[in-house]
Amino acid sequence: MSAISVSNFSSSKFVLTGFPGLERYYFWFSIPFSLIYATVFLGNCMVLHIVRTEPSLHEPMFYFLAMLSFTDLCVGLTTIHTVLGVLWGLIQEVSLDSCIAQSYFIHGLSFMESSVLLAMSFDRYVAICNPLRYSSILTNEKIMKIGVAILCRSSLLIPPVIIRLRFLNYCRPHILSHSFCLHQDLIRMACSDIRFNSIYGLALVISNLLLDAVLILISYVMILHTVLGIASWEERIKSLQTCVSHICAVLVFYVPIIGLTMVHRFGKHLSPLVHVLMGNIYILFPPLMNPIIYSIKTQQIRRRVQRLFCSKGT
């Protein structure tokens, strides 16, 4: 692999990294990864099917959950061909254009998931802090507008920094850190002036991921303040239980992002296996865990899943 990667730095091909030094075990690695992708697709499709077919779930909370599942499903579709392609020995490198396209979708879907989690925190804030106006605030029309805003925010802000990748000169070894393409990985190989990509990319992270995280934290501070003002202990617990699934989804999304950022920023001395492991956790952990979390922690989804499987069993 090293001979391919260093023979021609001016080539438009980029070498995908699986698990360095463990190539002989790729077949065995492909089994759990295939199961994970199958679970991602089946789990998120199941959530989408349940929300669509169950009239009692046609509420703002579950509409946002459907947006989250759709986003997770797209993440799986965006990365499966390179991740499993490397493990199955089908592909070893990708073209620059394919790499740029994949990085656009990965980062765009990441911003979209963050935006959906923010919308879900607003839903929980209204439901707990202003329950009497819940149905009038979160109407179907407003939910559609929120969905369109999330889509525009996630897709229209990224092209300037992604398109510029096409015009950079890549003179360093074309070895990616993962079995998929990320913006920070591509600019690491460039010899051109990358100040625009660095500054604009940082601005995107601050105005999307960081801002969303701060607003989610503020919403939960206000939710906690309202809940603590409730006299009945049972009512406090009941109110907080409606937020458990969302809190878990937020942690599942933001913890891997923070971990991957720390590894890329400060872990240059770490083993390449650490970079690969953190990259795969960042890509696969949220889409894998979100359907499981909501199927276990959300009573309406759990009951519908039980009915779904019981009806198939009979």
Side-chain angles (χ1 to χ4, degrees):
M1 185 175 77
S2 60
I4 294 175
S5 58
V6 301
S7 61
N8 183 11
F9 295 167
S10 63
S11 168
S12 61
K13 297 291 185 180
F14 291 81
V15 177
L16 298 163
T17 299
F19 293 88
L22 301 175
E23 287 81 6
R24 70 181 69 179
Y25 303 111
Y26 277 8
F27 171 77
W28 300 108
F29 288 161
S30 69
I31 297 175
F33 272 86
S34 298
L35 291 174
I36 289 172
Y37 271 106
T39 304
V40 167
F41 294 139
L42 293 175
N44 287 289
C45 285
M46 180 186 67
V47 172
L48 288 169
H49 172 73
I50 289 174
V51 173
R52 185 182 68 85
T53 58
E54 182 61 42
S56 63
L57 300 184
H58 292 176
E59 299 176 358
M61 172 183 174
F62 298 105
Y63 289 143
F64 291 130
L65 175 58
M67 294 181 195
L68 186 68
S69 293
F70 177 76
T71 303
D72 287 337
L73 191 62
C74 291
V75 170
L77 292 172
T78 299
T79 59
I80 186 172
H81 66 288
T82 54
V83 174
L84 292 185
V86 169
L87 295 178
W88 287 341
L90 300 177
I91 58 174
Q92 190 177 12
E93 56 187 20
V94 293
S95 67
L96 175 60
D97 290 339
S98 297
C99 203
I100 291 174
Q102 187 180 50
S103 67
Y104 169 77
F105 284 108
I106 289 176
H107 292 297
L109 291 168
S110 181
F111 290 157
M112 184 178 295
E113 182 141 357
S114 176
S115 300
V116 173
L117 290 172
L118 175 60
M120 295 174 83
S121 71
F122 176 67
D123 168 82
R124 292 299 84 206
Y125 165 75
V126 176
I128 294 174
C129 300
N130 205 347
L132 297 179
R133 296 188 58 203
Y134 179 77
S135 57
S136 62
I137 293 176
L138 287 173
T139 61
N140 289 341
E141 181 182 357
K142 289 182 180 177
I143 292 172
M144 288 182 62
K145 289 181 179 179
I146 291 174
V148 172
I150 289 173
L151 184 61
C152 292
R153 182 194 190 208
S154 305
S155 59
L156 299 182
L157 294 177
I158 299 179
V161 72
I162 294 296
I163 291 174
R164 194 168 186 278
L165 292 172
R166 186 67 181 80
F167 304 99
L168 296 179
N169 178 32
Y170 299 96
C171 62
R172 296 187 174 93
H174 291 183
I175 307 175
L176 298 168
S177 301
H178 311 284
S179 50
F180 47 84
C181 300
L182 297 175
H183 170 263
Q184 56 265 40
D185 229 6
L186 286 172
I187 63 173
R188 177 178 58 85
M189 304 173 203
C191 297
S192 308
D193 184 356
I194 60 171
R195 283 179 296 178
F196 173 79
N197 286 70
S198 298
I199 295 172
Y200 192 94
L202 179 61
L204 280 179
V205 170
I206 293 174
S207 63
N208 285 270
L209 300 180
L210 183 59
L211 178 60
D212 290 351
V214 171
L215 292 176
I216 290 171
L217 180 61
I218 291 173
S219 70
Y220 272 103
V221 169
M222 299 173 71
I223 287 172
L224 188 59
H225 179 267
T226 300
V227 169
L228 292 177
I230 300 175
S232 170
W233 176 257
E234 290 77 11
E235 288 298 320
R236 292 180 186 178
I237 297 299
K238 185 178 179 180
S239 298
L240 289 176
Q241 282 179 340
T242 65
C243 301
V244 171
S245 298
H246 179 255
I247 293 173
C248 291
V250 169
L251 293 175
V252 160
F253 175 73
Y254 279 102
V255 170
I257 283 185
I258 294 171
L260 182 64
T261 302
M262 293 297 103
V263 166
H264 270 285
R265 187 72 64 176
F266 306 109
K268 293 180 175 59
H269 63 286
L270 296 175
S271 167
L273 286 175
V274 176
H275 289 259
V276 172
L277 181 61
M278 288 305 303
N280 282 295
I281 290 175
Y282 159 68
I283 286 294
L284 292 175
F285 195 57
L288 173 68
M289 292 304 299
N290 284 335
I292 297 174
I293 291 170
Y294 278 92
S295 297
I296 294 174
K297 293 294 184 181
T298 305
Q299 189 177 41
Q300 299 95 318
I301 296 289
R302 184 174 67 250
R303 288 177 178 175
R304 188 66 181 82
V305 170
Q306 290 172 346
R307 291 212 312 267
L308 184 66
F309 282 100
C310 288
S311 63
K312 287 185 177 181
T314 56

